[in-house]
Amino acid sequence: MHRRTLAAAVLAALVPLATVTAACADRKPEAKPSPPPTFTPAPEPLTPKVAEREFRAHVANDDVARAAGDERLALAWATDGQAQLTAAEYRRAAFDGDPVKRYEYDRPKLYVPRIDVKKYPQWFVAETVRRERGKDEGRTVYMAFTKRSVSDRWKLSLVTEPRPKTKLPEIPLDAEGYATAMFTTDTSVLIRPREVPGIQATLATEGPTVIAAVVMETGWSTSDYHQQARKAERKARSKGLRLQTVMVATPFPIFALRAGHGDSLVLYSLSRNSSYTVRNPRDRTAKPPIPPEVEHLLDGTVKGNELHTFETLQFAALDPRKAQKGEEQQKARVLARTGTFARATTPPPKN
């Protein structure tokens, strides 16, 4: 009797459930809303006319950002190393309480390579005179612009200033106004363009006696970095600090154009990284002082006994063609540089 009562109770409980299930089965599933259609712009061929339009657009939008002190807007028009330098510039201006510098530009010479409309990234280089607003004297600059995809906007990737009184190479243009891009693996020049940054970084880190001096001129923007670092190391040692400085390549793009006489103009970035450490690690109270040039990148305190700084540097170099038999081989030489401290960190004390 007890079993019959239990079975009846279970059956009674299942009947409503079966009814609900049957009702759900009869109900038609609601239609899900269709996702909104996506719009992909048609690829636009890169021409000298398009490059001039995009150069003007960048100059106008960058000036709007600078006039308003709007770092976020400025960063919307910059990428790669230039994005790091732009952020550092705005941060320095805010720290000092100064307005961000505004610039005016002469009409540029545009070096636009022929790039298939479906191939990305696309890029071009502008050579122009840039002057700070309100000042008469300007400086020549190389500016490299890039577009990474069909839906991306053109952004400024690199800006570098030639050394004063430097003779700049001619960049030949064809009848339609196009320059010739070079593969970074091109072997018709003394140094393959992709290896130019590494050669310079070696000279800057290790000095003029390394084998890299055989193919690149020493001195300005190469071995002089090594000399500066050695001098800074001696100064740090006198204050109870250990300083290590190294120049390294970056993942940012390398732009190579065919110049006159078969040479190449190569634009690229390097990073110069320095580490300050207290020489006596047992002295828990000793901390490296914050250099004035990176105060705007830190909160005014050093957590442990180390301080690391990172400079983003941008260059242009002339990479000569390989000499023919009987000719004297010219060396590569750095033509332009710019850059500053982009980041600084103070790690917490180690256990």
Side-chain angles (χ1 to χ4, degrees):
M1 183 67 181
H2 177 70
R3 290 179 179 177
R4 291 178 183 176
T5 303
L6 180 59
V10 171
L11 181 61
L14 289 176
V15 169
L17 179 61
T19 303
V20 172
T21 303
C24 291
D26 292 339
R27 186 183 303 163
K28 294 182 180 181
E30 295 182 3
K32 295 183 179 180
S34 301
T38 57
F39 172 74
T40 302
E44 180 181 37
L46 173 58
T47 65
K49 187 175 181 180
V50 168
E52 183 169 8
R53 181 195 72 199
E54 295 303 327
F55 173 85
R56 296 298 177 192
H58 173 83
V59 167
N61 285 285
D62 183 64
D63 188 61
V64 169
R66 290 172 177 274
D70 191 335
E71 178 183 349
R72 186 174 180 179
L73 177 59
L75 289 175
W77 295 93
T79 187
D80 303 321
Q82 192 58 33
Q84 295 181 354
L85 294 176
T86 297
E89 182 181 6
Y90 275 75
R91 195 163 178 179
R92 165 63 83 178
F95 181 83
D96 294 339
D98 295 330
V100 182
K101 290 181 180 179
R102 298 173 65 185
Y103 295 105
E104 296 173 337
Y105 299 82
D106 288 355
R107 184 169 184 175
K109 296 178 183 178
L110 295 171
Y111 307 129
V112 184
R114 290 183 181 273
I115 301 176
D116 186 275
V117 69
K118 297 180 180 180
K119 185 178 179 180
Y120 289 90
Q122 300 196 355
W123 59 274
F124 67 89
V125 174
E127 177 188 335
T128 184
V129 173
R130 180 180 70 174
R131 64 183 56 82
E132 192 174 342
R133 186 178 290 270
K135 295 185 178 180
D136 296 330
E137 186 177 356
R139 294 285 301 272
T140 298
V141 292
Y142 287 122
M143 305 170 69
F145 295 84
T146 185
K147 184 178 182 180
R148 298 193 183 282
S149 69
V150 66
S151 58
D152 196 11
R153 65 174 56 163
W154 283 95
K155 297 178 182 180
L156 183 61
S157 173
L158 178 151
V159 179
T160 189
E161 292 186 1
R163 188 182 186 184
K165 300 181 180 180
T166 296
K167 183 179 180 181
L168 301 180
E170 292 291 330
I171 307 297
L173 305 180
D174 65 16
E176 295 180 310
Y178 287 92
T180 301
M182 295 182 65
F183 290 110
T184 58
T185 55
D186 194 299
T187 57
S188 67
V189 284
L190 179 61
I191 307 170
R192 290 189 295 180
R194 72 179 184 186
E195 295 169 356
V196 171
I199 294 293
Q200 182 187 355
T202 300
L203 285 168
T205 301
E206 301 183 23
T209 60
V210 295
I211 195 170
V214 173
V215 293
M216 180 174 279
E217 292 183 2
T218 59
W220 189 78
S221 290
T222 54
S223 58
D224 66 341
Y225 280 119
H226 173 78
Q227 295 171 354
Q228 294 169 14
R230 299 294 81 78
K231 183 178 179 180
E233 287 174 8
R234 292 191 294 269
K235 184 177 179 180
R237 192 178 302 114
S238 68
K239 297 181 178 180
L241 301 173
R242 180 182 293 106
L243 171 61
Q244 292 181 317
T245 301
V246 63
M247 189 91 81
V248 296
T250 70
F252 303 138
I254 297 173
F255 307 96
L257 291 163
R258 179 68 74 183
H261 310 292
D263 300 337
S264 176
L265 176 68
V266 187
L267 288 78
Y268 55 94
S269 299
L270 290 172
S271 180
R272 189 170 185 244
N273 308 331
S274 300
S275 297
Y276 294 86
T277 308
V278 174
R279 290 179 63 84
N280 182 7
R282 296 180 180 179
D283 187 352
R284 297 288 184 175
T285 62
K287 298 178 182 294
I290 298 176
E293 58 268 24
V294 297
E295 285 181 329
H296 62 293
L297 300 173
L298 297 169
D299 59 5
T301 60
V302 176
K303 302 172 185 176
N305 62 355
E306 298 179 12
L307 186 148
H308 306 291
T309 65
F310 306 87
E311 297 172 75
T312 297
L313 306 173
Q314 300 179 321
F315 300 94
L318 182 67
D319 186 8
R321 67 176 177 85
K322 285 183 178 177
Q324 300 295 320
K325 187 176 181 180
E327 292 181 331
E328 181 182 357
Q329 178 64 65
Q330 301 295 315
K331 294 183 180 182
R333 57 190 175 93
V334 179
L335 304 176
R337 77 179 182 197
T338 191
T340 189
F341 292 91
R343 188 165 62 94
T345 61
T346 59
K350 297 178 180 178
N351 294 330

